[in-house]
Amino acid sequence: MRVLIPGLLLYGLSLSAGAITLTVSDANIPSTALGTLDSAGDYFPSSVESLSQVAAAAIGSAPTTPAVSNSECGATDPAWKLQAQLSTSVAGLTLRVRRTSNGTGGTVYGGESYITLSALPTTLFCGNSDVTDIGLQFQIDAVDVGDGHGTRQWQVDYTVETL
């Protein structure tokens, strides 16, 4: 028996926060991430992870030092923070994201553990200076065979805030 499993799409949004620019690539988690069910009684995981760098963030024109001393993200004086929030979600499923690489350029702090996204802004990680190619990985929880077939889509809005 072969079961059709939905593909999952995550959309990023490029924003500009003052002089800072942000670009996040789209992420597509293929149905193959759920594995293949070949026989009755087979199970697929209720939690699905994307590739370790299915999307990447780039922060440009960023400050190197903060306007005010702070310890956001457990770091010593980061100059900016990246926040994300869901503008659309899929009922019954939970979306999480984590940073999987430091990128190239400046310094990035925090965000190595999965963070649950919601309709409220959540800080993913912080940093100093311009950084490109910061790896992002997604996890979707509560996947169920009863969810039906088709594609599920989320809209994730990202913003950069200077600190």
Side-chain angles (χ1 to χ4, degrees):
M1 172 170 92
R2 196 164 292 278
V3 176
L4 295 175
I5 305 299
L8 304 162
L9 295 176
L10 305 163
Y11 289 99
L13 180 66
S14 296
L15 296 173
S16 145
I20 298 177
T21 58
L22 166 68
T23 304
V24 179
S25 60
D26 291 349
N28 184 358
I29 302 173
S31 60
T32 54
L34 292 169
T36 303
L37 303 177
D38 290 321
S39 333
D42 283 354
Y43 295 94
F44 63 83
S46 64
S47 180
V48 178
E49 283 188 325
S50 69
L51 299 172
S52 66
Q53 188 164 330
V54 72
I59 315 288
S61 303
T64 56
T65 58
V68 176
S69 183
N70 64 78
S71 61
E72 187 85 23
C73 296
T76 303
D77 290 338
W80 53 262
K81 67 180 175 181
L82 176 66
Q83 293 185 309
Q85 69 185 72
L86 292 174
S87 61
T88 62
S89 61
V90 177
L93 298 179
T94 302
L95 179 63
R96 295 185 170 91
V97 64
R98 72 176 175 172
R99 177 176 66 85
T100 58
S101 72
N102 293 326
T104 304
T107 307
V108 182
Y109 309 98
E112 294 97 344
S113 298
Y114 278 114
I115 298 165
T116 302
L117 298 179
S118 71
L120 300 173
T122 303
T123 299
L124 300 182
F125 49 83
C126 300
N128 294 322
S129 302
D130 296 353
V131 185
T132 61
D133 205 31
I134 303 167
L136 300 176
Q137 181 177 27
F138 295 89
Q139 180 183 55
I140 300 161
D141 289 338
V143 177
D144 186 274
V145 71
D147 289 340
H149 66 283
T151 299
R152 307 297 186 260
Q153 297 180 2
W154 284 268
Q155 174 74 38
V156 181
D157 295 331
Y158 301 88
T159 55
V160 177
E161 182 180 321
T162 57
L163 300 173

